Amino acid sequence: MNKEDIKKEIITAIKKVKKENPMAPSITNTVTINFVANTQLAAGGSAAMVYLPDEGETVATIANAVYINVGTLFPIYEKTLPRTAKKLQELGKNWVLDPVAVGIGELRGKLLSDFKENRPPIIRGNASEIIALANLWNLLENQEKSKVRGVDSTETVSEAKRAAIAICKYTKGAVSVSGEVDLITDGNYLAYSHGGSKLFSKITGAGCALGGLSAVYACCASPFIAALSACQAFNFSGSNAEKIAKGPASFQTAFLDVLYSATAEEIANNNFDFEKIEN
């Protein structure tokens, strides 16, 4: 597999999403549901937000991929999330786990710990969250201290590389680490997606929307291609939206407009590096 092959797969995935309008339901952060849904719609997908245990199992059955984000938890999620993840695993469906603020709170810790047995095909988080999750799942020979601060990362993407690869080796899926340059890996290959905008840090829900977009592409592509396609789409749209935005509010609107009008070729040709991991 080389860079040109990857570009072709990204183009295929994005065109398929625009043609088929796949639904990628979410159980997600209540602070960001609007931006998550609008991002999924702008990319050509369809959105649905669910909360109850039977709803989670139902969408796991009817959708090709689901997005699970633990950003804001309700007591009912102690039933909803495990039942949804279990059903997704039983059916062999793609799903995206966003381990927001891992390490904060008893229920969050229990849910994220239990997700280990369901092996999420795609995991998206910032560097601190990815390191913390690898530690929680005991996947690192030497535990690395992670300084999770709410939804913010205090580590760099490069510092999370070892943890991301370790998670992939266990899940046989993909990990996407968000940062100034996004890292995407499946344990065999590494991709670094460039672009984006500093204005992403000035709006609520950029990371959540990226997770939701990853789920949309996961309806039509492998975990690695889906995660990379989402980062490429985000970084292309973010960098171009910044050029016409006057501030955070207009940036969010411009981002959705650029994502909506971007071609598969433009997204695939966004600057990224690609390399094979030498074992």
Side-chain angles (χ1 to χ4, degrees):
M1 187 161 58
N2 57 43
K3 191 171 181 178
E4 291 307 311
D5 292 331
I6 294 297
K7 286 184 180 181
K8 290 177 183 177
E9 290 194 49
I10 291 173
I11 290 170
T12 298
I14 292 170
K15 286 185 175 180
K16 193 171 183 180
V17 163
K18 289 179 179 293
K19 180 181 179 180
E20 297 184 0
N21 184 226
M23 182 178 68
S26 302
I27 304 170
T28 190
N29 190 332
T30 55
V31 178
T32 65
I33 52 176
N34 182 262
F35 191 37
V36 171
N38 284 340
T39 298
Q40 291 178 315
L41 293 171
S46 180
M49 304 296 163
V50 300
Y51 304 91
L52 301 177
D54 61 331
E55 294 176 339
E57 289 178 325
T58 298
V59 297
T61 301
I62 64 177
N64 288 332
V66 175
Y67 175 48
I68 295 179
N69 177 308
V70 299
T72 48
L73 294 175
F74 300 110
I76 191 66
Y77 283 4
E78 190 168 7
K79 295 180 180 179
T80 302
L81 299 190
R83 284 172 57 175
T84 304
K86 182 180 179 182
K87 179 61 70 174
L88 287 163
Q89 186 192 45
E90 287 176 354
L91 297 172
K93 297 288 186 73
N94 277 341
W95 61 286
V96 181
L97 172 64
D98 204 325
V100 178
V102 52
I104 298 177
E106 184 177 336
L107 177 57
R108 191 185 315 274
K110 181 182 184 301
L111 289 171
L112 289 172
S113 180
D114 291 346
F115 278 141
K116 181 181 180 182
E117 66 183 68
N118 298 120
R119 299 178 188 257
I122 301 175
I123 297 171
R124 190 227 68 86
N126 64 40
S128 295
E129 290 164 345
I130 296 303
I131 294 171
L133 186 67
N135 284 333
L136 181 66
W137 287 358
N138 296 310
L139 299 177
L140 296 172
E141 291 183 7
N142 298 311
Q143 293 257 322
E144 300 176 9
K145 290 185 178 180
S146 174
K147 302 178 284 294
V148 175
R149 188 186 70 184
V151 298
D152 298 325
S153 178
T154 56
E155 274 93 11
T156 65
V157 168
S158 61
E159 290 177 302
K161 176 180 173 181
R162 192 169 75 92
I165 293 172
I167 291 173
C168 289
K169 294 293 187 182
Y170 171 74
T171 63
K172 310 302 181 186
V175 170
S176 173
V177 188
S178 299
E180 187 172 342
V181 176
D182 297 329
L183 179 155
I184 306 93
T185 182
D186 64 353
N188 297 306
Y189 296 93
L190 280 170
Y192 294 91
S193 179
H194 300 267
S197 170
K198 292 182 179 179
L199 287 173
F200 277 134
S201 66
K202 302 301 181 183
I203 62 174
T204 300
C208 299
L210 177 57
L213 184 56
S214 300
V216 167
Y217 291 134
C219 292
C220 301
S222 67
F224 179 68
I225 294 299
L228 178 54
S229 296
C231 288
Q232 286 286 92
F234 238 75
N235 286 328
F236 173 83
S237 302
S239 59
N240 283 280
E242 185 182 71
K243 297 173 183 177
I244 56 177
K246 296 180 179 179
S250 58
F251 170 74
Q252 183 168 319
T253 300
F255 167 80
L256 292 172
D257 285 344
V258 174
L259 177 61
Y260 175 77
S261 61
T263 67
E265 289 77 12
E266 286 175 325
I267 291 171
N269 286 315
N270 181 70
N271 184 25
F272 74 98
D273 302 312
F274 180 73
E275 64 185 66
K276 188 177 189 335
I277 297 173
E278 299 299 334
N279 295 319

